[in-house]
Amino acid sequence: MPKYLKRTSCNSWWSRVLTFSFFCAVLAGSRAAYAQADLMIYSDSLASGWGDSSYNITLNYANTAPVYSGSDSISATITSAYGGIGVFHAGLTDGAYSSVSFWLNGGASGGQHLQMYGNLEVAGNNTAQAARYSLNAPLANTWQQYTVPLSALGVANATNFSGFVIQDSGGSSEPTFYLDDIQLNSAAAPAIVHLTVNAGQSIRTADARWFGINTPDWDGNLDTPQTIALLTNMDEQVLRFPGGSESDEYHWLYNRSLNDNWSWASGLGNFIHVATNVNAQAMTTVNYGTGSTNEAAAWVAYVNASTTSTQPLGVDASGFNWQTAGYWASLRAATPLQSNDGKNFLRLGRSAPLNFKYWEIGNEVYGASWETDSNTVPHDPYTYAMRAKDYISLMKAVDPAIKIGVVATPGENSDVNNTSHPAYNAREGSYHNGWTAVMLATLKSQGVTPDFLIHHRYPQNPGNESDAGLLDTTGGWAADAADLRQQITDYIGAAGTNIELLCTENNSVSSGPGKQSTSLVNGLYKADSMAQLMQTEFNALCWWDLRNGQGTDGNLSPSLYGWREYGDYGVVDSGYNPYPAYYTSKLMRDFVGGRDTVISAGSDYSLLSAYAVHRLDGSLTILVVNKDPDNTVTGQVAVAGFTPTPGAAAYFYGMPQDNAAETGIGSPEIAQSNFSIVGTNFNYLFPPYSATVLTLSPISPPQFNRLTMQANGTFALEFTNYTGLSFTVLESTNLTLPLTGWTILGTANETSPGQYQFSDPQAVNNPQRFYRIRSP
């Protein structure tokens, strides 16, 4: 993935100098929001997530004439019989779309014989469907729009739609024709969307580390009471430092990068002050690109060893002895770690180890085009693994309790930077040169097992952003988790069972953020992305980032929703003004917390996502994200395995709040309201482009007072807080039997408030009878 320096969106590298209190300022007028419900596939280039699957054809995806709109179109010349132009996407759910449309120009000759077929992803492969749809012959030098129902291609309402092909149908080559503006067209929203929740079907235990965020060293407002309040409001449990690609140039002791003679705006002392005040765990990225094992181990010692420790460090791989050079001695003095506001580490009053637990070895080291790596063989998974062995050994010698992760990426053949040490996959019987395969195989050969794999996810590349496309990508977490786990199994084996998967960067676009990054759409993406991750084995999620800086060099297309005519990776601007991603972060703490139980939930409409959690306090929460920019959708909620009280609460964030942020009229904050339900089935309206958390409270367990039996086997029960309902009675003559061995006796009905009655004639002559009651 072509990612560049995320540390700044400004035009010059030197914008990072000084304190970053300035960031990049931009003046922009408000532009009317534009909703995009259709899913763009090609407009000047293939949209993110789409690729080419053509065959027997000559193609140019950047043809400059003729074009229907924009700057480019696709020129296609079919070179042999039944050749075709194909586009593919990892299997997606297409229930929200009814047809595919495109503009076609027959070129100089026209009259081509063309047909279409659809593909579904089956066992990881593009599988052609039998249906063929004939296209009317194109006209010469004339643009015409074609609209083809997905049902005609045999791919309607599929959960594994993977694209389509436009091919020759006449058994011969075809002269050049042109295509432009290819898209999936949205279907009409259904009158009722069925949302199901099953409290009895647990998926996993919630992890507090899902609430994480990057806090870079260039943030001049990091160590302030206002920022600490912002982080607390989002309930951030993990803070990552020092920040992205900067990590592979950063020397923590001096708060400087490379050989620079100036310091970053916020150093380790500032970060420690913030993390300890927020009561968050640290995710620390040590310098692999230009650093050393001893520099990393010294960092561990500085924050985790006792103040009297004199742990020797020895000589690093370069032959430089940090201890004899006075490096370690300086750590024990009161002079290091000076930060821009005059605070240093010792003045923060540390009297005990900080126990910073999670440590990463480098950042995206596979990124040959964007990541700094001064090793003899740069961006090489074999070299990385061999050095990671030394990092792990020395860092854990200082503190054996820490957890250390290594950089990974999905795909056995992804990020091939060197082919000198191929990894053999015994399960497949084949060799692979991809980053993760080689890195893991090398670690295993050295007897090293990392504690976790580091994953970063940016689903789009700059210039190809699509609102509908972005919101459709959140399901990719499952594929990423499955891929990484399979590689662990293949290359580490049984020893890798306990290796965790942690994501330490996630946002919408890999570089050059545009207006989508600061829009409501990215806020919805953040909530939906986290909720999808919760269905997988990923145990941490750190958003990129808290503050980054505004810029106008990203995608500002009017086809993207939103009124902010600038991009910014941060959840707040250079001061303390929040973007929508901040508010949806706050919303998520109303949905889930550490040690809650993620339970099964589903929706029969892909533009209305539903997720559910059983909270530790006994309540049940439902997150619903409406990805439709135009339509309020009625959700019919059916809850199983949980009986709620009539009173429920809703927390809502969407268009009204985002509009209020623009106009100053109304509140941009999350709205809270109460509503009533009867039973376990109810309807609720979900406005367009919104995220809603519904909170259902459980019926309080009945407080039993008295049980009496009359001569005829009729029992009277008395409760103080159980009225207006009924319950099922189970009986057994053996108290130790499991619940499945008990027999349903009948129903106890209320005879007066708090008074219930049921009958068991067998009890008259049988003194040993046991009863259980449960809600029906």
Side-chain angles (χ1 to χ4, degrees), residues 361 388 392 396 403-407 439-440 443-444 447-454 488 492 495-496 498-500:
I361 302 174
I392 292 170
K396 289 204 171 188
K403 303 294 184 181
I404 303 178
V406 293
V407 172
M439 182 266 295
L440 291 177
L443 286 177
K444 182 181 180 181
V448 176
T449 302
D451 294 303
F452 59 92
L453 297 192
I454 305 158
I488 291 172
I492 296 289
N498 294 324
I499 296 177
E500 289 189 291

Side-chain angles (χ1 to χ4, degrees), residues 364-518:
E364 298 178 6
V365 186
Y366 49 79
S369 63
W370 69 85
E371 200 72 19
T372 300
D373 187 349
S374 63
N375 285 275
T376 304
V377 185
H379 311 291
D380 173 39
Y382 176 82
T383 302
Y384 175 82
M386 294 300 290
R387 288 204 65 204
K389 171 189 174 183
D390 296 334
Y391 273 84
I392 292 170
S393 175
L394 200 55
M395 293 166 70
K396 289 204 171 188
V398 175
D399 184 356
I402 63 173
K403 303 294 184 181
I404 303 178
V406 293
V407 172
T409 183
E412 284 182 297
N413 299 308
S414 296
D415 297 286
V416 178
N417 298 326
N418 193 315
T419 58
S420 299
H421 301 89
Y424 182 68
N425 187 323
R427 178 178 60 86
E428 298 175 344
S430 58
Y431 287 90
H432 297 274
N433 288 294
W435 172 273
T436 303
V438 174
M439 182 266 295
L440 291 177
T442 305
L443 286 177
K444 182 181 180 181
S445 73
Q446 299 300 307
V448 176
T449 302
D451 294 303
F452 59 92
L453 297 192
I454 305 158
H455 178 49
H456 291 174
R457 181 169 174 77
Y458 294 86
Q460 300 179 121
N461 291 324
N464 296 328
E465 294 98 321
S466 157
D467 289 338
L470 174 64
L471 295 174
D472 189 59
T473 64
T474 56
W477 288 109
D480 290 352
D483 181 287
L484 292 172
R485 177 54 60 189
Q486 186 64 61
Q487 290 196 71
I488 291 172
T489 301
D490 289 343
Y491 296 106
I492 296 289
T497 301
N498 294 324
I499 296 177
E500 289 189 291
L501 304 183
L502 307 184
C503 177
T504 59
E505 288 187 25
N506 178 217
N507 208 313
S508 59
V509 65
S510 58
S511 64
K515 63 183 289 186
Q516 186 186 74
S517 63
T518 56

Side-chain angles (χ1 to χ4, degrees), residues 265-276:
S266 293
L268 180 58
N270 302 106
F271 175 75
I272 291 171
H273 187 247
V274 173
T276 52

Side-chain angles (χ1 to χ4, degrees), residues 162-225:
S162 57
F164 56 85
V165 174
I166 301 174
Q167 68 168 172
D168 159 63
S169 63
S172 65
S173 61
E174 296 290 350
T176 302
F177 59 94
Y178 306 91
L179 293 163
D180 207 348
D181 290 358
I182 307 171
Q183 66 182 35
L184 292 175
N185 301 309
S186 61
I192 295 289
V193 175
H194 300 92
L195 307 178
T196 57
V197 175
N198 187 349
Q201 186 174 345
S202 300
I203 294 175
R204 59 162 298 167
T205 300
D207 199 309
R209 292 173 292 173
W210 291 336
F211 289 89
I213 198 164
N214 282 265
T215 50
D217 54 12
W218 57 75
D219 184 355
N221 286 323
L222 177 63
D223 191 3
T224 64

Side-chain angles (χ1 to χ4, degrees), residues 15-23 217-221 262-266 340:
S15 59
R16 69 176 186 158
V17 182
L18 304 178
T19 66
F20 263 75
S21 295
F22 299 93
F23 286 83
D217 54 12
W218 57 75
D219 184 355
N221 286 323
W262 50 269
S263 299
W264 286 101
S266 293
N340 286 352

Side-chain angles (χ1 to χ4, degrees), residues 394-752:
L394 200 55
M395 293 166 70
K396 289 204 171 188
V398 175
D399 184 356
I402 63 173
K403 303 294 184 181
I404 303 178
V406 293
V407 172
T409 183
E412 284 182 297
N413 299 308
S414 296
D415 297 286
V416 178
N417 298 326
N418 193 315
T419 58
S420 299
H421 301 89
Y424 182 68
N425 187 323
R427 178 178 60 86
E428 298 175 344
S430 58
Y431 287 90
H432 297 274
N433 288 294
W435 172 273
T436 303
V438 174
M439 182 266 295
L440 291 177
T442 305
L443 286 177
K444 182 181 180 181
S445 73
Q446 299 300 307
V448 176
T449 302
D451 294 303
F452 59 92
L453 297 192
I454 305 158
H455 178 49
H456 291 174
R457 181 169 174 77
Y458 294 86
Q460 300 179 121
N461 291 324
N464 296 328
E465 294 98 321
S466 157
D467 289 338
L470 174 64
L471 295 174
D472 189 59
T473 64
T474 56
W477 288 109
D480 290 352
D483 181 287
L484 292 172
R485 177 54 60 189
Q486 186 64 61
Q487 290 196 71
I488 291 172
T489 301
D490 289 343
Y491 296 106
I492 296 289
T497 301
N498 294 324
I499 296 177
E500 289 189 291
L501 304 183
L502 307 184
C503 177
T504 59
E505 288 187 25
N506 178 217
N507 208 313
S508 59
V509 65
S510 58
S511 64
K515 63 183 289 186
Q516 186 186 74
S517 63
T518 56
S519 77
L520 173 59
V521 171
N522 207 30
L524 298 179
Y525 167 75
K526 187 178 190 303
D528 202 56
S529 178
M530 177 175 168
Q532 283 282 356
L533 175 139
M534 288 166 50
Q535 315 304 308
T536 73
E537 65 166 297
F538 278 105
N539 289 335
L541 177 61
C542 294
W543 184 254
W544 183 269
D545 55 0
L546 176 62
R547 287 189 183 88
N548 206 79
Q550 295 174 1
T552 57
D553 54 349
N555 189 347
L556 305 181
S557 169
S559 68
L560 298 172
Y561 181 91
W563 54 270
R564 299 171 183 85
E565 295 299 317
Y566 51 83
D568 192 341
Y569 277 124
V571 298
V572 296
D573 65 11
S574 58
Y576 305 99
N577 299 304
Y579 299 128
Y582 166 79
Y583 292 108
T584 54
S585 298
K586 287 179 60 178
L587 182 70
M588 292 303 285
R589 61 174 197 175
D590 294 316
F591 172 56
V592 65
R595 298 190 300 118
D596 290 342
T597 301
V598 181
I599 58 177
S600 175
S603 167
D604 61 1
Y605 182 49
S606 62
L607 294 188
L608 197 71
S609 300
Y611 312 92
V613 169
H614 204 164
R615 306 295 301 264
L616 284 174
D617 63 5
S619 64
L620 187 147
T621 51
I622 305 169
L623 169 68
V624 180
V625 180
N626 187 353
K627 306 175 186 179
D628 190 321
D630 301 312
N631 299 297
T632 294
V633 179
T634 300
Q636 188 175 84
V637 183
V639 179
F642 181 89
T643 303
T645 60
Y651 302 86
F652 168 84
Y653 183 80
M655 287 181 174
Q657 289 92 336
D658 191 38
N659 292 339
E662 178 186 21
T663 64
I665 302 173
S667 172
E669 290 289 337
I670 296 168
Q672 181 178 353
S673 61
N674 298 317
F675 66 102
S676 297
I677 59 177
V678 177
T680 57
N681 294 342
F682 60 92
N683 288 0
Y684 198 90
L685 298 178
F686 300 98
Y689 267 180
S690 65
T692 305
V693 173
L694 306 178
T695 300
L696 312 183
S697 299
I699 291 178
S700 300
Q703 181 178 333
F704 175 71
N705 288 339
R706 183 183 301 112
L707 171 67
T708 58
M709 186 185 77
Q710 302 174 6
N712 60 358
T714 299
F715 289 83
L717 296 92
E718 180 181 315
F719 299 93
T720 58
N721 62 339
Y722 198 78
T723 184
L725 298 168
S726 61
F727 52 81
T728 301
V729 181
L730 296 88
E731 62 84 18
S732 174
T733 58
N734 183 353
L735 182 61
T736 63
L737 280 179
L739 186 58
T740 54
W742 289 58
T743 302
I744 296 178
L745 181 65
T747 301
N749 297 307
E750 190 171 28
T751 56
S752 60

